[in-house]
Amino acid sequence: MANLVLVIDDDPDVWTTLAIRFKSFGYTMVSAEDGAGGFEKARMLNPKLILLDFGLPYENGLQILKKLKADKKTQDITVIMLT
């Protein structure tokens, strides 16, 4: 999906706010509340952009970023870190 944004963040308030904003600009947003789920969604959905929270449960955002950049299916996706 060309206009898909993945938000990996454990705060539902962040998802709600961002979903409204992205929709107003013609983007579809999906979310994941932890790094493992976000990594799998990134591999399956191939989003245009990932917004990645640094402070995630289990694995922090930097660990997930390293996984994303090491994986051939996700290494070219643009990632913006949220702190």
PDB file of all heavy atoms in Angstrom, residues 15-35:
ATOM      1  N   TRP A  15      -1.416   7.003  18.909  1.00  0.00           N
ATOM      2  CA  TRP A  15      -2.028   6.414  17.706  1.00  0.00           C
ATOM      3  C   TRP A  15      -3.232   7.227  17.257  1.00  0.00           C
ATOM      4  O   TRP A  15      -3.388   7.524  16.076  1.00  0.00           O
ATOM      5  CB  TRP A  15      -2.528   5.008  17.937  1.00  0.00           C
ATOM      6  CG  TRP A  15      -1.605   4.014  18.505  1.00  0.00           C
ATOM      7  CD1 TRP A  15      -0.235   4.034  18.498  1.00  0.00           C
ATOM      8  CD2 TRP A  15      -1.969   2.822  19.164  1.00  0.00           C
ATOM      9  NE1 TRP A  15       0.254   2.935  19.119  1.00  0.00           N
ATOM     10  CE2 TRP A  15      -0.798   2.170  19.540  1.00  0.00           C
ATOM     11  CE3 TRP A  15      -3.192   2.249  19.478  1.00  0.00           C
ATOM     12  CZ2 TRP A  15      -0.801   0.957  20.216  1.00  0.00           C
ATOM     13  CZ3 TRP A  15      -3.197   1.037  20.145  1.00  0.00           C
ATOM     14  CH2 TRP A  15      -2.008   0.410  20.505  1.00  0.00           C
ATOM     15  N   THR A  16      -4.104   7.544  18.212  1.00  0.00           N
ATOM     16  CA  THR A  16      -5.338   8.251  17.882  1.00  0.00           C
ATOM     17  C   THR A  16      -5.044   9.601  17.240  1.00  0.00           C
ATOM     18  O   THR A  16      -5.607   9.935  16.195  1.00  0.00           O
ATOM     19  CB  THR A  16      -6.192   8.453  19.154  1.00  0.00           C
ATOM     20  OG1 THR A  16      -6.424   7.183  19.755  1.00  0.00           O
ATOM     21  CG2 THR A  16      -7.512   9.120  18.842  1.00  0.00           C
ATOM     22  N   THR A  17      -4.166  10.348  17.854  1.00  0.00           N
ATOM     23  CA  THR A  17      -3.815  11.669  17.330  1.00  0.00           C
ATOM     24  C   THR A  17      -3.192  11.567  15.946  1.00  0.00           C
ATOM     25  O   THR A  17      -3.572  12.288  15.016  1.00  0.00           O
ATOM     26  CB  THR A  17      -2.846  12.380  18.291  1.00  0.00           C
ATOM     27  OG1 THR A  17      -3.459  12.474  19.578  1.00  0.00           O
ATOM     28  CG2 THR A  17      -2.490  13.759  17.796  1.00  0.00           C
ATOM     29  N   LEU A  18      -2.235  10.672  15.800  1.00  0.00           N
ATOM     30  CA  LEU A  18      -1.550  10.540  14.511  1.00  0.00           C
ATOM     31  C   LEU A  18      -2.478  10.004  13.423  1.00  0.00           C
ATOM     32  O   LEU A  18      -2.387  10.428  12.266  1.00  0.00           O
ATOM     33  CB  LEU A  18      -0.319   9.650  14.652  1.00  0.00           C
ATOM     34  CG  LEU A  18       0.834  10.266  15.448  1.00  0.00           C
ATOM     35  CD1 LEU A  18       1.938   9.236  15.634  1.00  0.00           C
ATOM     36  CD2 LEU A  18       1.363  11.516  14.776  1.00  0.00           C
ATOM     37  N   ALA A  19      -3.353   9.079  13.772  1.00  0.00           N
ATOM     38  CA  ALA A  19      -4.274   8.523  12.771  1.00  0.00           C
ATOM     39  C   ALA A  19      -5.151   9.619  12.168  1.00  0.00           C
ATOM     40  O   ALA A  19      -5.369   9.653  10.958  1.00  0.00           O
ATOM     41  CB  ALA A  19      -5.136   7.425  13.391  1.00  0.00           C
ATOM     42  N   ILE A  20      -5.629  10.531  13.004  1.00  0.00           N
ATOM     43  CA  ILE A  20      -6.449  11.642  12.517  1.00  0.00           C
ATOM     44  C   ILE A  20      -5.642  12.524  11.571  1.00  0.00           C
ATOM     45  O   ILE A  20      -6.108  12.894  10.489  1.00  0.00           O
ATOM     46  CB  ILE A  20      -7.003  12.462  13.705  1.00  0.00           C
ATOM     47  CG1 ILE A  20      -8.010  11.624  14.496  1.00  0.00           C
ATOM     48  CG2 ILE A  20      -7.633  13.767  13.225  1.00  0.00           C
ATOM     49  CD1 ILE A  20      -8.370  12.193  15.849  1.00  0.00           C
ATOM     50  N   ARG A  21      -4.436  12.856  11.958  1.00  0.00           N
ATOM     51  CA  ARG A  21      -3.594  13.730  11.129  1.00  0.00           C
ATOM     52  C   ARG A  21      -3.230  13.063   9.804  1.00  0.00           C
ATOM     53  O   ARG A  21      -3.306  13.686   8.747  1.00  0.00           O
ATOM     54  CB  ARG A  21      -2.321  14.137  11.882  1.00  0.00           C
ATOM     55  CG  ARG A  21      -2.569  14.967  13.113  1.00  0.00           C
ATOM     56  CD  ARG A  21      -3.286  16.272  12.836  1.00  0.00           C
ATOM     57  NE  ARG A  21      -2.481  17.102  11.954  1.00  0.00           N
ATOM     58  CZ  ARG A  21      -2.953  18.086  11.215  1.00  0.00           C
ATOM     59  NH1 ARG A  21      -4.229  18.375  11.248  1.00  0.00           N
ATOM     60  NH2 ARG A  21      -2.165  18.792  10.445  1.00  0.00           N
ATOM     61  N   PHE A  22      -2.790  11.807   9.865  1.00  0.00           N
ATOM     62  CA  PHE A  22      -2.406  11.118   8.629  1.00  0.00           C
ATOM     63  C   PHE A  22      -3.593  10.976   7.676  1.00  0.00           C
ATOM     64  O   PHE A  22      -3.455  11.159   6.467  1.00  0.00           O
ATOM     65  CB  PHE A  22      -1.787   9.755   8.921  1.00  0.00           C
ATOM     66  CG  PHE A  22      -0.357   9.832   9.363  1.00  0.00           C
ATOM     67  CD1 PHE A  22       0.042   9.326  10.582  1.00  0.00           C
ATOM     68  CD2 PHE A  22       0.605  10.412   8.553  1.00  0.00           C
ATOM     69  CE1 PHE A  22       1.361   9.405  10.989  1.00  0.00           C
ATOM     70  CE2 PHE A  22       1.935  10.495   8.946  1.00  0.00           C
ATOM     71  CZ  PHE A  22       2.302   9.991  10.175  1.00  0.00           C
ATOM     72  N   LYS A  23      -4.755  10.661   8.224  1.00  0.00           N
ATOM     73  CA  LYS A  23      -5.946  10.516   7.383  1.00  0.00           C
ATOM     74  C   LYS A  23      -6.265  11.824   6.661  1.00  0.00           C
ATOM     75  O   LYS A  23      -6.639  11.820   5.483  1.00  0.00           O
ATOM     76  CB  LYS A  23      -7.141  10.064   8.220  1.00  0.00           C
ATOM     77  CG  LYS A  23      -8.368   9.784   7.394  1.00  0.00           C
ATOM     78  CD  LYS A  23      -9.503   9.245   8.253  1.00  0.00           C
ATOM     79  CE  LYS A  23     -10.694   8.934   7.364  1.00  0.00           C
ATOM     80  NZ  LYS A  23     -11.814   8.408   8.112  1.00  0.00           N
ATOM     81  N   SER A  24      -6.086  12.949   7.344  1.00  0.00           N
ATOM     82  CA  SER A  24      -6.378  14.243   6.725  1.00  0.00           C
ATOM     83  C   SER A  24      -5.452  14.543   5.544  1.00  0.00           C
ATOM     84  O   SER A  24      -5.779  15.356   4.684  1.00  0.00           O
ATOM     85  CB  SER A  24      -6.304  15.375   7.760  1.00  0.00           C
ATOM     86  OG  SER A  24      -4.972  15.642   8.139  1.00  0.00           O
ATOM     87  N   PHE A  25      -4.305  13.870   5.498  1.00  0.00           N
ATOM     88  CA  PHE A  25      -3.361  14.046   4.394  1.00  0.00           C
ATOM     89  C   PHE A  25      -3.401  12.889   3.392  1.00  0.00           C
ATOM     90  O   PHE A  25      -2.549  12.769   2.521  1.00  0.00           O
ATOM     91  CB  PHE A  25      -1.935  14.213   4.924  1.00  0.00           C
ATOM     92  CG  PHE A  25      -1.695  15.539   5.577  1.00  0.00           C
ATOM     93  CD1 PHE A  25      -1.679  15.653   6.956  1.00  0.00           C
ATOM     94  CD2 PHE A  25      -1.512  16.681   4.819  1.00  0.00           C
ATOM     95  CE1 PHE A  25      -1.461  16.882   7.568  1.00  0.00           C
ATOM     96  CE2 PHE A  25      -1.299  17.919   5.418  1.00  0.00           C
ATOM     97  CZ  PHE A  25      -1.275  18.014   6.801  1.00  0.00           C
ATOM     98  N   GLY A  26      -4.394  11.992   3.539  1.00  0.00           N
ATOM     99  CA  GLY A  26      -4.569  10.911   2.583  1.00  0.00           C
ATOM    100  C   GLY A  26      -3.754   9.666   2.857  1.00  0.00           C
ATOM    101  O   GLY A  26      -3.606   8.817   1.977  1.00  0.00           O
ATOM    102  N   TYR A  27      -3.236   9.516   4.073  1.00  0.00           N
ATOM    103  CA  TYR A  27      -2.463   8.333   4.437  1.00  0.00           C
ATOM    104  C   TYR A  27      -3.299   7.395   5.297  1.00  0.00           C
ATOM    105  O   TYR A  27      -4.172   7.831   6.048  1.00  0.00           O
ATOM    106  CB  TYR A  27      -1.204   8.722   5.221  1.00  0.00           C
ATOM    107  CG  TYR A  27      -0.149   9.366   4.374  1.00  0.00           C
ATOM    108  CD1 TYR A  27      -0.168  10.727   4.108  1.00  0.00           C
ATOM    109  CD2 TYR A  27       0.868   8.602   3.815  1.00  0.00           C
ATOM    110  CE1 TYR A  27       0.795  11.320   3.318  1.00  0.00           C
ATOM    111  CE2 TYR A  27       1.840   9.190   3.025  1.00  0.00           C
ATOM    112  CZ  TYR A  27       1.791  10.548   2.777  1.00  0.00           C
ATOM    113  OH  TYR A  27       2.746  11.131   1.991  1.00  0.00           O
ATOM    114  N   THR A  28      -3.009   6.127   5.192  1.00  0.00           N
ATOM    115  CA  THR A  28      -3.590   5.127   6.073  1.00  0.00           C
ATOM    116  C   THR A  28      -2.543   4.803   7.130  1.00  0.00           C
ATOM    117  O   THR A  28      -1.366   4.647   6.816  1.00  0.00           O
ATOM    118  CB  THR A  28      -3.939   3.849   5.290  1.00  0.00           C
ATOM    119  OG1 THR A  28      -4.869   4.187   4.259  1.00  0.00           O
ATOM    120  CG2 THR A  28      -4.519   2.785   6.191  1.00  0.00           C
ATOM    121  N   MET A  29      -2.977   4.698   8.375  1.00  0.00           N
ATOM    122  CA  MET A  29      -2.045   4.395   9.452  1.00  0.00           C
ATOM    123  C   MET A  29      -2.440   3.093  10.133  1.00  0.00           C
ATOM    124  O   MET A  29      -3.622   2.850  10.380  1.00  0.00           O
ATOM    125  CB  MET A  29      -2.055   5.523  10.480  1.00  0.00           C
ATOM    126  CG  MET A  29      -0.912   5.425  11.474  1.00  0.00           C
ATOM    127  SD  MET A  29      -1.252   6.379  12.964  1.00  0.00           S
ATOM    128  CE  MET A  29      -2.052   5.122  13.953  1.00  0.00           C
ATOM    129  N   VAL A  30      -1.450   2.269  10.398  1.00  0.00           N
ATOM    130  CA  VAL A  30      -1.633   1.091  11.237  1.00  0.00           C
ATOM    131  C   VAL A  30      -0.676   1.234  12.407  1.00  0.00           C
ATOM    132  O   VAL A  30       0.315   1.960  12.322  1.00  0.00           O
ATOM    133  CB  VAL A  30      -1.392  -0.235  10.474  1.00  0.00           C
ATOM    134  CG1 VAL A  30      -2.423  -0.434   9.396  1.00  0.00           C
ATOM    135  CG2 VAL A  30      -0.005  -0.294   9.905  1.00  0.00           C
ATOM    136  N   SER A  31      -0.976   0.540  13.484  1.00  0.00           N
ATOM    137  CA  SER A  31      -0.137   0.682  14.676  1.00  0.00           C
ATOM    138  C   SER A  31       0.226  -0.668  15.256  1.00  0.00           C
ATOM    139  O   SER A  31      -0.412  -1.678  14.986  1.00  0.00           O
ATOM    140  CB  SER A  31      -0.856   1.532  15.725  1.00  0.00           C
ATOM    141  OG  SER A  31      -2.061   0.918  16.103  1.00  0.00           O
ATOM    142  N   ALA A  32       1.285  -0.629  16.048  1.00  0.00           N
ATOM    143  CA  ALA A  32       1.728  -1.784  16.821  1.00  0.00           C
ATOM    144  C   ALA A  32       2.171  -1.265  18.175  1.00  0.00           C
ATOM    145  O   ALA A  32       2.779  -0.197  18.267  1.00  0.00           O
ATOM    146  CB  ALA A  32       2.879  -2.499  16.119  1.00  0.00           C
ATOM    147  N   GLU A  33       1.862  -2.013  19.233  1.00  0.00           N
ATOM    148  CA  GLU A  33       2.171  -1.517  20.573  1.00  0.00           C
ATOM    149  C   GLU A  33       3.485  -2.022  21.139  1.00  0.00           C
ATOM    150  O   GLU A  33       3.879  -1.626  22.228  1.00  0.00           O
ATOM    151  CB  GLU A  33       1.031  -1.823  21.531  1.00  0.00           C
ATOM    152  CG  GLU A  33       0.746  -3.284  21.708  1.00  0.00           C
ATOM    153  CD  GLU A  33      -0.488  -3.518  22.569  1.00  0.00           C
ATOM    154  OE1 GLU A  33      -1.425  -2.729  22.495  1.00  0.00           O
ATOM    155  OE2 GLU A  33      -0.481  -4.500  23.307  1.00  0.00           O
ATOM    156  N   ASP A  34       4.182  -2.866  20.396  1.00  0.00           N
ATOM    157  CA  ASP A  34       5.511  -3.291  20.834  1.00  0.00           C
ATOM    158  C   ASP A  34       6.394  -3.546  19.614  1.00  0.00           C
ATOM    159  O   ASP A  34       5.916  -3.599  18.490  1.00  0.00           O
ATOM    160  CB  ASP A  34       5.450  -4.516  21.744  1.00  0.00           C
ATOM    161  CG  ASP A  34       4.860  -5.743  21.070  1.00  0.00           C
ATOM    162  OD1 ASP A  34       5.171  -6.003  19.894  1.00  0.00           O
ATOM    163  OD2 ASP A  34       4.088  -6.460  21.731  1.00  0.00           O
ATOM    164  N   GLY A  35       7.675  -3.679  19.870  1.00  0.00           N
ATOM    165  CA  GLY A  35       8.630  -3.812  18.786  1.00  0.00           C
ATOM    166  C   GLY A  35       8.476  -5.074  17.960  1.00  0.00           C
ATOM    167  O   GLY A  35       8.576  -5.034  16.735  1.00  0.00           O
TER     168      GLY A  35
END
